[in-house]
Amino acid sequence: MNDHSILLLLHHAVGPIYIMLTAAALLSIISPALNELSSHGKTRFGSIGKCHGKNNYDSDTNRSRYQRLWDFLLHSKYLFANKGRFIDFYAVGSIITTITILLNWSGIHTTTKSKNDHRRLLPAYILLIHLVRRFCECLWVQKSVSTSTMHFAGYLLGVIHYLFLPFVFIPDQEQEQDSGSNVVKSFMVFMGCLFFQYQQHRHHVILGNLRPNTSTGGINSYQIPKGGWFEFVSCPHYLAEIMIYFMLAILIQLQTDTATMQDEENGMLSRIHAQKHWIVLVWVSTNLSISAERTHVWYILTFGKAYPERQKLIPFVW
């Protein structure tokens, strides 16, 4: 199997993978086990006693071996990592995106393709900006206290997401592109994407400035965020991220030949492949909406009546 075949396989795999990730996220709403596995940061504070306290699953002889094993997998401190390891996700995504961009550059310069093929990589360039920015924010803006953790299963899910994400936004050889008639629209979407990049960074700075300059602390180290979109919603940084992916999906849609997208002779997998940019948007929206719900509830439970009346994710709506 040559390099082209491997890349083509990865391109066709991302759609089904993100459908499965979305299904798993939805199941976490009704499954306590999946809820625990996917929760991270301050929303895990309700389980800190389980994660870092006594290993009751070892001492409770009344429980079956299966139950003790299951408790170990859910609550063992050896299966948790500090939330600061989020930086690994953006490192993986940045490296894979850079490699795929360089491979596409090589293909463009060694063939007789049009220079417009560089414009096809615009979504990948924006994605790389996003990933590098998030990497830098993890280094210099965001602060994670020592008790802010995530389960290894959630860590693995994050790695999988950013491992396959570049193949959503890198054009493959099979997909036809438009002739350039949507340049103005693409530019407007590009500017919109940069706007939401700025807004996400702005609200990460607000959150970062609320934390003390120390790696220790617990619930008391958190404060009520104020300013910007925080006046309207509890998780404006999640809203901005969803809008970034929405802009990227529109950009790909504008660049992709409509006839190719609507070919009724294509099978189910081909149609999923053609719509992979919308599928990843659904995945991101679902995942962040669930996280926004958990975060909003945590704020209310933690601060009570002191917490201002605001929506969870969408101003004036939800």
Side-chain angles (χ1 to χ4, degrees):
M1 184 178 288
N2 55 35
D3 292 343
H4 173 68
S5 298
I6 295 174
L7 290 175
L8 191 60
L9 179 63
L10 290 171
H11 274 290
H12 283 271
V14 292
I17 286 173
Y18 281 112
I19 289 175
M20 289 187 289
L21 290 178
T22 303
L26 291 172
L27 284 174
S28 72
I29 299 175
I30 60 176
S31 169
L34 288 178
N35 187 305
E36 282 201 59
L37 291 176
S38 58
S39 297
H40 55 76
K42 56 181 172 286
T43 59
R44 290 202 58 87
F45 271 122
S47 300
I48 281 187
K50 296 178 182 179
C51 298
H52 302 285
K54 294 180 179 180
N55 295 336
N56 294 324
Y57 45 82
D58 289 330
S59 58
D60 190 352
T61 57
N62 294 324
R63 309 195 68 175
S64 68
R65 182 178 300 177
Y66 170 79
Q67 289 174 319
R68 282 181 285 167
L69 175 61
W70 184 243
D71 280 345
F72 175 83
L73 294 176
L74 284 180
H75 307 308
S76 173
K77 63 181 180 180
Y78 302 110
L79 295 177
F80 283 83
N82 187 272
K83 191 183 173 184
R85 299 317 309 173
F86 261 55
I87 194 172
D88 298 346
F89 304 157
Y90 306 113
V92 169
S94 298
I95 291 171
I96 299 299
T97 303
T98 301
I99 291 173
T100 52
I101 287 175
L102 292 175
L103 289 175
N104 273 265
W105 278 357
S106 176
I108 291 172
H109 291 299
T110 57
T111 63
T112 58
K113 293 181 180 181
S114 166
K115 292 182 179 179
N116 283 335
D117 280 0
H118 283 289
R119 185 171 59 82
R120 297 172 58 193
L121 292 174
L122 181 59
Y125 299 150
I126 296 175
L127 176 65
L128 184 58
I129 291 172
H130 172 65
L131 295 173
V132 171
R133 174 182 62 81
R134 291 293 293 118
F135 180 88
C136 294
E137 286 176 351
C138 287
L139 277 179
W140 296 302
V141 176
Q142 295 178 274
K143 304 180 182 75
S144 294
V145 296
S146 59
T147 51
S148 184
T149 61
M150 57 179 166
H151 195 276
F152 178 75
Y155 177 85
L156 184 61
L157 184 145
V159 171
I160 291 173
H161 167 55
Y162 287 100
L163 185 63
F164 286 95
L165 185 63
F167 299 99
V168 176
F169 301 107
I170 293 285
D172 59 68
Q173 302 296 327
E174 289 185 335
Q175 224 168 14
E176 296 181 15
Q177 305 289 312
D178 73 353
S179 59
S181 59
N182 289 318
V183 173
V184 175
K185 292 179 181 178
S186 296
F187 176 75
M188 293 176 63
V189 173
F190 170 72
M191 295 304 295
C193 195
L194 292 184
F195 169 75
F196 290 113
Q197 295 266 7
Y198 163 74
Q199 289 298 337
Q200 188 181 45
H201 172 72
R202 173 194 179 197
H203 291 94
H204 279 151
V205 170
I206 292 175
L207 288 173
N209 289 337
L210 293 177
R211 296 290 185 84
N213 293 319
T214 176
S215 61
T216 62
I219 295 177
N220 293 332
S221 68
Y222 288 92
Q223 302 178 48
I224 299 175
K226 299 178 181 178
W229 294 355
F230 278 113
E231 301 303 317
F232 306 99
V233 295
S234 294
C235 301
H237 49 312
Y238 291 164
L239 174 60
E241 179 138 358
I242 290 172
M243 292 306 299
I244 289 170
Y245 282 93
F246 180 56
M247 293 292 107
L248 286 169
I250 293 176
L251 189 58
I252 291 180
Q253 188 71 35
L254 289 172
Q255 291 188 348
T256 305
D257 183 74
T258 305
T260 302
M261 301 287 288
Q262 297 178 344
D263 186 356
E264 295 182 356
E265 294 182 359
N266 288 339
M268 177 62 73
L269 288 179
S270 295
R271 288 196 293 270
I272 290 175
H273 169 64
Q275 302 292 343
K276 61 184 183 294
H277 48 295
W278 295 113
I279 293 172
V280 77
L281 174 63
V282 172
W283 148 248
V284 170
S285 301
T286 301
N287 186 44
L288 293 182
S289 295
I290 294 171
S291 295
E293 165 74 23
R294 293 170 180 167
T295 301
H296 184 75
V297 170
W298 183 89
Y299 276 132
I300 293 174
L301 293 176
T302 302
F303 298 107
K305 294 182 179 180
Y307 190 67
E309 187 174 338
R310 55 181 64 160
Q311 299 296 325
K312 302 168 186 175
L313 184 65
I314 306 174
F316 313 111
V317 178
W318 180 79

